[in-house]
Amino acid sequence: MQIRFCYNGSMRGKAATFTMALMLAARLVHADPSPSELQAARDLFSKAEKDEDAGNWSEALDKLKRAVSVKPTPGLRYHIALCEEKLGQLVAALADYTAADQAAREANNKDVIDAVAEPLKTLRIRVPTLTIEVPAASGAQVDLDGKTVAPGLYGVAMPVEPGMHRVQAKATGKRPFTTQVQLREREATTSTVRWVDIPVVNDDTQPSHDTPDVHPPESSTSGGVKVGAIVMTVIAAGALGFGIGAYMAADGAQTNLQQMCPTMTDCGDLKTTVRTWDAVALTSWIAAAAFTTIAIVLWATPSHSSSSSARIEARPGGLAFTGTF
């Protein structure tokens, strides 16, 4: 069984006590390895030393971990930490150097105590630390490189391996947060989680899923161009009526001319009045015919437009019609 000590500032005493308890449990489990197991462990250690001499640190580390599972000793832990350091696993090496130092002090093994002193001093400076600041949020969870960080370690400097690290965070009512942090040896960096609220959807302002917002098709018998048809019909009728009135006025002026002209020296004004009303009547009837034609066309045309307007204006010389349909 491999026991590792995680160094953590103010909690050092508790962590050390916990580690020693685990080491004691490990010794109890391996209290009586058989002679054959002990010999196999010695053989593994001997081969691991040869791998170390050849610089084959990964092969040596594998053999040392198997040997320590038989009988954990301060010397084996020192060699495990040495291999981890050579492989660039600085955090693991720091933990195993610390465990080797504590085990050596318990066993009064001065050789190991002396051997780990310098690596411990150096690694405690070399290992970078990352502090993750997490603003208060309901249900907050933070992951570092895919592993959940204990809430008690928020805002605490944690030793991490040099290189790129990924911080991910989530909380109730917040958008997921992700960032990457690059750390080099000896660096101490702080990464702060930035919460962004998820907008609250107001159901009163959103269309219901049960009653989709579907606009009914426009009726072909109302609105749009049909308004123009109605307007044209009314104007045509008005023009026709105005023409009839003008004709009757012209007829009256003609009668008045016949009665009064024999007694007058100049009948020009009376004749002008007759001609004027005749012209107005004729113009009105022509306009009525034109408006009637337009109305017939509009009544027969399907509706495609949603707006129309029209007006009739009295202008010098007759009537004028303007509009949009």
Side-chain angles (χ1 to χ4, degrees):
M1 178 181 296
Q2 181 179 351
I3 308 298
R4 292 184 177 179
F5 168 69
C6 297
Y7 176 77
N8 185 352
S10 63
M11 298 180 67
R12 183 175 180 180
K14 292 183 179 179
T17 302
F18 179 67
T19 302
M20 288 189 290
L22 289 178
M23 293 177 66
L24 176 60
R27 284 201 297 270
L28 291 175
V29 172
H30 299 281
D32 298 309
S34 66
S36 61
E37 289 177 326
L38 289 173
Q39 186 57 48
R42 294 189 188 100
D43 291 342
L44 283 171
F45 177 70
S46 178
K47 293 177 181 179
E49 285 187 310
K50 293 179 180 179
D51 287 331
E52 289 179 359
D53 293 338
N56 298 326
W57 301 106
S58 294
E59 290 81 354
L61 181 60
D62 176 69
K63 295 179 178 66
L64 291 167
K65 286 183 176 181
R66 285 189 283 164
V68 83
S69 68
V70 177
K71 186 175 178 63
T73 66
L76 284 175
R77 294 217 174 268
Y78 165 78
H79 281 275
I80 287 175
L82 176 63
C83 292
E84 290 170 335
E85 180 182 5
K86 296 297 183 180
L87 290 171
Q89 301 172 12
L90 302 187
V91 175
L94 177 60
D96 280 318
Y97 275 133
T98 303
D101 179 66
Q102 291 185 346
R105 293 181 184 280
E106 290 177 10
N108 197 25
N109 187 330
K110 189 175 184 303
D111 291 339
V112 173
I113 294 174
D114 292 340
V116 302
E118 186 61 27
L120 273 176
K121 180 181 177 180
T122 302
L123 278 181
R124 284 169 181 162
I125 299 173
R126 289 179 59 194
V127 174
T129 60
L130 175 63
T131 302
I132 303 177
E133 298 288 353
V134 185
S138 176
Q141 177 182 319
V142 178
D143 292 348
L144 176 61
D145 298 327
K147 296 182 179 179
T148 300
V149 178
L153 296 180
Y154 297 167
V156 176
M158 297 180 292
V160 295
E161 302 290 357
M164 185 69 73
H165 295 273
R166 186 179 185 85
V167 178
Q168 296 174 291
K170 60 183 180 180
T172 304
K174 309 292 184 183
R175 295 188 186 279
F177 173 85
T178 300
T179 189
Q180 290 185 325
V181 183
Q182 176 74 41
L183 289 111
R184 299 178 179 84
E185 290 189 15
R186 304 173 185 268
E187 283 188 341
T189 302
T190 298
S191 177
T192 302
V193 174
R194 307 291 183 186
W195 296 126
V196 176
D197 293 338
I198 297 175
V200 178
V201 177
N202 187 347
D203 293 338
D204 294 337
T205 62
Q206 299 297 321
S208 171
H209 293 292
D210 297 330
T211 55
D213 185 14
V214 178
H215 296 284
E218 293 184 358
S219 172
S220 61
T221 60
S222 65
V225 174
K226 298 308 177 183
V227 174
I230 296 171
V231 172
M232 290 298 97
T233 301
V234 172
I235 293 175
L240 179 61
F242 189 78
I244 294 174
Y247 176 78
M248 294 176 65
D251 186 64
Q254 180 66 29
T255 300
N256 188 38
L257 174 63
Q258 292 174 353
Q259 291 176 352
M260 296 182 63
C261 190
T263 64
M264 297 175 63
T265 58
D266 184 4
C267 300
D269 291 341
L270 294 176
K271 292 179 180 180
T272 299
T273 301
V274 174
R275 286 195 295 269
T276 299
W277 282 115
D278 282 339
V280 171
L282 180 60
T283 301
S284 298
W285 289 336
I286 293 173
F291 292 146
T292 300
T293 301
I294 295 173
I296 292 172
V297 173
L298 293 179
W299 280 115
T301 302
S303 176
H304 296 291
S305 174
S306 60
S307 64
S308 61
S309 63
R311 67 178 181 272
I312 186 170
E313 299 175 349
R315 295 182 178 177
L319 301 175
F321 169 77
T322 60
T324 58
F325 306 97

